[in-house]
């Protein structure tokens, strides 16, 4: 009875062992992810155990390679059940005869077991061998012979962190496995016996396989390929693709395999080159890092295609391994278009709505005191339309806009467009949410702006395709009407409207239509620039990963330079456009009343619904103001060493309202004060240095602008 009990118990244990699920059974989780770029180039990145491998089906390995493997490693592979008794007896005899281990008896199945179930095998070497035999028999039951070969060919370890014959072929011989010659195939198989053999031992083995045809063996070639110093392979990708593959690896962590991405390696590389060149102009102002993203709007397939992502200037640097494209930073003024768009959509604001840029105390029930926003230039411009306020990124009107919309409503909107890190209650963010409180990542921001490029629809983000189909982030959602997005488009592409803040010459002007917005966070820690057409959304962030402030680098200059160059790059191969709703028409409105501009009005072209009827402005307004229009605050003029200095002058543009009672003058730095009786429009040469220009009225400074020549 006791013997029967023991037999039943052992049988139960064996049955449980054979039918129990082990982690190693799901062997494909050990594979690397292989990404194919838009150009068709393969980019491999590390598996979970920090190895490089590449999955191929058994049928894609050369038949001759498989035959050589079986001939050298396991002649009776197709006839045993996981272990080879003949090989075991032979190994015991030769090892006993020589008094040391000179021969092994491991089958291909046993070697595969050690790859798949290494963590499940005991540490004691004798017990380990016994359990390995049981696992080998189990493997023969669970997998057929072809499957075991496929696992082995893909995962068998070579030198360093290289696994599988496909990766080894590229590592040692720089060619696809299907192009291997016989001498190369045999050499790789022999390496399995000893990954770092001496040359003498290796070639004595190799000679045996070419004894009948020694002339076909090029020993010098094999020696060069196998015995040159090989390094541990950490990455196989170009520096511009490092952050892409890191990010994709985290996404594909549980779904290894091969997929075709939407990323263009050529475009990515060119953009990184642009970022590094443009950084030379701003690095002296403590701007050490830059990141950029390009999304392509595919209306036909209803998706956004990630075609470029650069996370830093140089991945090889320690700080450069931070991916600036996906980390949250203070959003600055970049969220303002969403606030105004929500106001337009709900009819609480219109592009020609009159707003007051003046000192305002905003009070809410959740605050003890009042919220008093300030503009970046520490000035108030008075009366203006919503369009002018947004185009010139005025802070006070933006807070007025979120007050009309509702802070809670705006927070709900940001969450709806999948800016999901904003977990706190709206009272924790307050009115400052309109000015970037709460932060955003460059990727979130770029996808958010795509709503304006795609006529109000938020499309899912397309990363590529695998065997399971399209790889998409997010869902398709209708956010705004085409009328609202057209109005925002028109405002952000109106160069005339934003000149008051950005000057006559700025990096937001293009020879083709582009709508754009900039942002600068508190203490100049982050500079943003984002632009869009109907075809693309381009965004750039500039700053420091350690959070240190830059030296007065604004978004328009710091990030705008790079964004400008990226758009020009895209425009070389594709015509870029901005189209508007047919339900809208251009109307000239008065800047001070928002009504139809009259003769005395300082007007601009506004895009309004055809059904909207405006009454004419009956006010009498000054048609211009006394102001310095160029340079603008924070401008940086860079002297090009390859151009004559006489062609590199700083434009000075000043307008005045002369009367018989007023005396105007301007002064550049400590130079002589110059009296003026009419507008100034001239250029002057200035050496490198920091400057200021002051406009005086009756000996009182009414405007002062600081700028730099480098």
């Amino acid at each position: 009875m006791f013997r029967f009990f023991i037999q039943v118990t052992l049988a139960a244990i064996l049955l449980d062992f054979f039918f129990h699920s082990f982690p190693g059974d799901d062997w494909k989780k050990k594979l690397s992810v292989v990404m194919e770029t838009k150009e068709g180039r393969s980019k491999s990145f590390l598996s979970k155990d920090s190895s490089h491998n590449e999955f191929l089906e058994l049928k894609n390995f050369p038949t001759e390679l498989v035959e050589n493997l079986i001939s050298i490693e396991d002649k009776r592979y197709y006839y045993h059940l996981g272990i080879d008794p003949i090989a075991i007896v032979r190994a015991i005899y030769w090892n006993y005869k020589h008094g040391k281990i000179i021969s092994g008896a491991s089958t291909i199945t046993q070697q595969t077991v050690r790859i798949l179930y290494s963590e499940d095998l005991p540490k004691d070497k004798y017990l380990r061998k016994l359990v390995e035999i049981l696992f080998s028999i189990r493997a023969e039951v669970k997998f057929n012979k072809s499957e075991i070969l496929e696992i082995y060919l893909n995962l068998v370890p070579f030198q360093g962190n290289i696994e599988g014959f496909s990766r080894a072929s590229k590592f040692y011989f720089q060619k696809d496995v299907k192009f291997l010659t016989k001498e190369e195939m045999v050499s790789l198989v022999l390496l399995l016996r000893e990954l770092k053999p001496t040359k003498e031992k290796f070639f004595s083995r190799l000679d045996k396989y070419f004894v009948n045809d020694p002339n076909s063996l090029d020993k010098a070639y094999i020696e060069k390929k196998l015995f040159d110093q090989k390094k541990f392979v950490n990455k196989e990708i170009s520096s511009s693709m490092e952050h892409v593959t890191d990010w994709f690896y985290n996404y594909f962590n549980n779904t290894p395999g091969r997929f075709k991405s939407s990323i263009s390696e050529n475009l990515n590389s060119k953009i990184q080159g642009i970022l590094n060149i443009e950084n030379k102009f701003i690095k002296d102002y403590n701007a050490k890092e830059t990141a950029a993203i390009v999304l392509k709007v595919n209306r036909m397939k209803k998706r956004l295609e990630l075609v470029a992502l650069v996370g830093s200037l140089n991945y090889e640097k320690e700080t450069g391994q931070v991916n600036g494209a996906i980390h949250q930073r203070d959003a600055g003024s970049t969220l303002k278009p969403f606030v105004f768009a929500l106001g337009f959509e709900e009819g609480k604001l219109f592009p020609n709505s009159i707003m007051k840029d003046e000192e305002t105390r905003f009070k809410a029930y959740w605050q003890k005191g009042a919220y008093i926003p300030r503009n970046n230039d520490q000035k108030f411009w008075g009366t203006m339309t919503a369009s002018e306020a947004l185009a010139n990124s005025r802070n006070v009107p933006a807070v007025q806009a979120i007050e009309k919309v509702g802070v809670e409503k705006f927070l709900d909107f940001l969450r709806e467009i999948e800016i999901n890190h904003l977990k706190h209650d709206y009272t924790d963010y307050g009115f400052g949410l309109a000015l970037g409180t709460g932060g955003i990542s460059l990727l979130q921001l770029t996808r958010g702006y795509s709503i304006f490029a795609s006529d109000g629809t938020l499309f899912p983000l397309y990363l590529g395709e695998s065997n399971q189909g399209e790889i998409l982030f997010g869902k398709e959602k209708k956010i705004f009407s085409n009328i609202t997005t057209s109005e925002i488009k028109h405002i952000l592409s109106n160069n005339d409207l934003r000149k008051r803040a950005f000057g006559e010459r700025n990096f937001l002007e293009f020879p083709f239509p582009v709508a754009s917005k900039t942002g600068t966070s508190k203490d100049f820690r982050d500079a943003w620039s984002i632009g869009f057409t109907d075809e693309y959304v381009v965004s750039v962030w500039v700053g420091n990963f350690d959070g240190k402030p830059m030296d007065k680098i604004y978004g328009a200059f710091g990030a705008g330079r790079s964004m400008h160059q990226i758009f020009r790059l895209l425009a070389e191969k594709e015509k870029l456009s901005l189209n508007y709703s047919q339900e809208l028409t251009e109307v000239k409105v008065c800047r001070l009343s928002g009504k139809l501009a009259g003769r005395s009005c300082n007007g601009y072209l506004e895009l309004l619904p055809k059904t909207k009827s405006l009454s004419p402005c009956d006010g009498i307004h000054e048609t211009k103001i006394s102001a310095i229009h160029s340079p603008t605050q924070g401008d940086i003029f860079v002297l090009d060493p390859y151009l004559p200095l006489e062609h590199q002058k700083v434009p000075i543009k000043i307008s005045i309202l002369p009367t018989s009672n007023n005396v105007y003058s301007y002064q550049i730095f400590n130079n002589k004060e110059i009296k003026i009786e009419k507008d100034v429009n001239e250029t002057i040469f200035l050496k490198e240095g920091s400057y200021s220009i002051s406009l005086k009225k009756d000996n009182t400074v009414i405007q002062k602008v600081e700028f730099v020549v480098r």
Side-chain angles (χ1 to χ4, degrees):
M1 186 68 182
F2 179 73
R3 179 182 295 176
F4 176 74
F5 175 77
I6 294 295
Q7 291 172 339
V8 171
T9 302
L10 288 174
I13 292 173
L14 286 173
L15 283 172
D16 179 68
F17 171 75
F18 274 89
F19 290 99
H20 180 78
S21 178
F22 289 91
D25 294 343
D26 191 4
W27 66 274
K28 288 190 176 180
K29 285 190 174 181
K30 292 180 175 289
L31 293 170
S32 298
V33 180
V34 179
M35 180 186 77
E36 188 176 307
T37 67
K38 199 171 183 179
E39 292 81 8
R41 303 187 191 112
S42 294
K43 301 293 171 185
S44 170
F45 40 109
L46 301 182
S47 65
K48 285 185 177 181
D49 61 357
S50 298
S51 296
H52 265 299
N53 52 55
E54 181 176 287
F55 173 71
L56 287 182
E57 293 182 6
L58 179 61
K59 65 182 180 181
N60 293 324
F61 285 97
T63 302
E64 190 177 2
L65 172 63
V66 177
E67 291 172 350
N68 279 304
L69 172 67
I70 292 174
S71 173
I72 296 172
E73 283 295 299
D74 192 354
K75 290 184 175 65
R76 287 170 287 278
Y77 173 71
Y78 287 109
Y79 307 105
H80 61 63
L81 290 176
I83 58 173
D84 186 352
I86 296 174
I88 292 174
V89 172
R90 185 198 65 223
I92 292 174
Y93 171 76
W94 284 107
N95 294 339
Y96 175 78
K97 183 176 180 179
H98 289 85
K100 59 181 180 178
I101 296 177
I102 63 168
S103 176
S106 291
T107 63
I108 288 176
T109 307
Q110 286 176 275
Q111 294 178 57
T112 303
V113 161
R114 290 198 288 268
I115 294 170
L116 296 183
Y117 307 106
S118 59
E119 296 180 2
D120 298 302
L121 298 176
K123 292 184 178 180
D124 180 83
K125 64 179 181 178
Y126 297 107
L127 182 59
R128 185 182 182 88
K129 199 67 178 177
L130 176 61
V131 175
E132 180 187 299
I133 291 172
L134 291 175
F135 263 107
S136 299
I137 297 171
R138 177 184 179 275
E140 292 280 344
V141 175
K142 184 170 184 61
F143 307 105
N144 60 43
K145 290 289 186 179
S146 294
E147 289 173 329
I148 293 172
L149 269 178
E150 186 174 82
I151 296 170
Y152 185 80
L153 287 164
N154 278 291
L155 294 180
V156 63
F158 283 86
Q159 183 179 343
N161 60 338
I162 298 299
E163 292 181 344
F165 279 88
S166 180
R167 298 300 307 152
S169 174
K170 293 175 181 177
F171 179 63
Y172 289 105
F173 298 111
Q174 296 78 52
K175 63 173 66 174
D176 192 282
V177 66
K178 64 184 176 184
F179 298 120
L180 289 176
T181 64
K182 181 179 179 180
E183 62 179 347
E184 292 168 340
M185 293 178 187
V186 172
S187 297
L188 289 180
V189 174
L190 289 177
L191 279 181
L192 299 177
R193 295 282 183 91
E194 191 175 355
L195 294 180
K196 293 184 179 181
T198 62
K199 294 179 185 179
E200 293 75 15
K201 185 184 291 187
F202 176 82
F203 283 109
S204 68
R205 291 174 177 171
L206 189 61
D207 285 338
K208 294 178 183 178
Y209 293 94
F210 290 88
V211 65
N212 297 323
D213 189 16
N215 293 328
S216 66
L217 178 61
D218 186 346
K219 290 186 177 181
Y221 167 75
I222 296 297
E223 180 178 344
K224 179 181 178 181
K225 290 295 184 180
L226 298 190
F227 290 94
D228 279 355
Q229 185 64 35
K230 297 290 182 182
K231 296 181 179 179
F232 180 89
V233 180
N234 182 39
K235 294 282 180 181
E236 187 210 23
I237 46 189
S238 64
S239 59
S240 74
M241 297 290 288
E242 297 278 5
H243 285 297
V244 174
T245 53
D246 279 353
W247 183 51
F248 281 176
Y249 172 72
N250 290 329
Y251 178 74
F252 287 104
N253 203 17
N254 294 314
T255 55
R258 189 181 189 93
F259 74 98
K260 183 176 179 62
S261 79
S262 57
I263 290 281
S264 166
E265 184 181 7
N266 290 342
L267 180 62
N268 225 60
S269 180
K270 288 178 181 178
I271 288 175
Q272 185 164 57
I274 288 172
L275 300 185
N276 275 284
I277 289 172
E278 294 300 335
N279 181 255
K280 293 178 181 179
F281 295 103
I282 58 175
K283 64 180 181 180
D284 291 341
Y285 296 85
N286 196 36
K288 296 180 180 178
E289 279 299 346
T290 309
I293 290 175
V294 179
L295 299 182
K296 183 174 178 62
V297 181
N298 191 326
R299 287 178 175 77
M300 184 173 294
K301 295 187 177 180
K302 296 183 177 181
R303 68 192 189 192
L304 297 169
E305 297 172 359
L306 180 66
V307 294
L309 184 152
V310 178
S312 66
L313 294 174
N314 186 349
Y315 186 91
E316 301 305 319
K317 292 183 179 179
E318 183 178 352
T319 57
Q321 294 178 22
V322 177
N323 189 344
I326 61 174
H327 279 243
Q328 269 84 34
R329 305 288 299 213
D330 191 304
S333 297
T334 59
L335 300 186
K336 290 175 183 176
F338 298 123
V339 180
F340 282 85
L342 196 56
F344 295 168
E345 186 77 5
E346 297 188 346
K348 296 177 179 178
L349 272 176
F350 299 95
N352 63 323
S353 294
I354 292 300
M355 309 189 82
K356 298 289 186 180
D357 183 15
E358 57 190 25
E359 184 168 322
T360 309
R361 302 170 65 86
F362 294 90
K363 190 73 177 70
Y365 75 88
W366 63 81
Q367 296 178 159
K368 289 184 178 180
Y371 180 71
I372 309 174
R374 291 284 186 270
N375 293 306
N376 288 336
D377 59 3
Q378 300 300 312
K379 297 176 183 178
F380 300 106
W381 289 5
T383 302
M384 63 183 62
T385 62
S387 289
E388 189 169 14
L390 176 57
N392 290 282
S393 199
R394 306 304 290 170
N395 288 344
V396 177
V399 178
Q400 291 172 3
I402 198 174
E403 185 181 43
K404 288 178 179 292
V405 168
V407 176
E408 185 175 13
K409 179 78 174 180
F410 185 59
L411 180 58
D412 290 340
F413 163 80
L414 292 176
R415 290 168 177 165
E416 185 183 5
I417 64 172
E418 299 175 25
I419 302 175
N420 296 319
H421 68 278
L422 301 172
K423 303 293 186 183
H424 299 292
D425 187 76
Y426 72 96
T427 58
D428 292 329
Y429 300 109
F431 295 116
L433 194 61
L435 307 181
T437 301
I440 200 167
S441 73
L442 194 65
L443 184 61
Q444 290 172 328
L445 184 67
T446 315
R447 185 167 176 239
Y449 268 70
S450 72
I451 298 169
F452 303 127
S454 57
D455 303 325
T457 299
L458 179 66
F459 288 132
L461 180 63
Y462 171 82
L463 302 182
E465 294 185 27
S466 67
N467 293 333
Q468 288 74 42
E470 291 187 344
I471 304 158
L472 298 169
F473 271 159
K475 298 178 181 180
E476 180 181 341
K477 300 176 184 178
K478 185 63 176 177
I479 304 298
F480 294 130
S481 67
N482 191 13
I483 289 178
T484 294
T485 55
S486 292
E487 289 170 339
I488 294 294
K489 240 189 247 190
H490 189 264
I491 294 168
L492 297 183
S493 61
N494 193 327
N495 293 320
D496 180 59
L497 202 56
R498 62 167 156 245
K499 283 181 180 178
R500 188 172 174 185
F502 295 92
E504 295 284 339
R505 298 166 63 246
N506 61 75
F507 290 101
L508 305 185
E509 290 195 43
F510 297 86
F512 43 82
V514 175
S516 55
K517 183 72 182 74
T518 65
T520 308
S521 67
K522 186 179 179 182
D523 299 328
F524 300 95
R525 297 179 189 274
D526 306 276
W528 308 80
S529 192
I530 183 164
F532 61 91
T533 66
D534 289 341
E535 299 78 22
Y536 290 99
V537 188
V538 176
S539 62
V540 177
W541 166 87
V542 169
N544 297 301
F545 291 143
D546 59 9
K548 290 181 179 178
M550 299 174 286
D551 185 9
K552 295 184 179 180
I553 291 292
Y554 290 89
F557 178 78
R561 295 180 62 96
S562 295
M563 184 195 73
H564 190 100
Q565 295 302 324
I566 294 170
F567 264 117
R568 284 185 173 271
L569 179 65
L570 295 172
E572 289 177 1
K573 295 185 177 180
E574 188 172 349
K575 185 178 180 180
L576 305 182
S577 61
L578 285 175
N579 294 302
Y580 304 103
S581 168
Q582 295 299 309
E583 299 178 57
L584 300 172
T585 186
E586 280 191 330
V587 178
K588 189 171 184 180
V589 303
C590 173
R591 294 175 187 265
L592 298 179
S593 69
K595 298 179 181 181
L596 284 175
R599 290 185 177 180
S600 67
C601 295
N602 185 3
Y604 69 95
L605 289 177
E606 186 69 89
L607 199 63
L608 296 172
K610 293 177 180 178
T611 57
K612 189 175 179 65
S613 177
L614 293 185
S615 57
C617 180
D618 55 5
I620 299 176
H621 311 296
E622 295 289 356
T623 58
K624 63 179 182 178
I625 59 173
S626 298
I628 301 170
H629 301 290
S630 178
T632 59
Q633 182 66 32
D635 271 355
I636 300 176
F637 297 90
V638 180
L639 297 176
D640 190 330
Y642 301 105
L643 291 177
L645 293 179
E646 60 268 20
H647 295 158
Q648 302 187 70
K649 296 181 179 180
V650 176
I652 306 297
K653 294 186 179 183
I654 302 172
S655 64
I656 61 171
L657 292 172
T659 68
S660 58
N661 299 324
N662 301 126
V663 177
Y664 290 92
S665 63
Y666 75 93
Q667 183 178 21
I668 298 177
F669 200 47
N670 293 323
N671 295 341
K672 182 180 178 181
E673 187 175 319
I674 302 173
K675 290 185 178 182
I676 53 177
E677 297 179 351
K678 60 181 181 178
D679 293 350
V680 177
N681 190 352
E682 60 184 29
T683 59
I684 63 171
F685 174 74
L686 294 173
K687 296 180 180 179
E688 292 185 21
S690 298
Y691 293 89
S692 64
I693 179 171
S694 302
L695 176 61
K696 294 182 179 180
K697 178 181 178 182
D698 299 331
N699 292 321
T700 301
V701 176
I702 60 173
Q703 186 181 4
K704 184 177 181 179
V705 170
E706 295 178 341
F707 62 99
V708 173
V709 177
R710 291 188 53 217

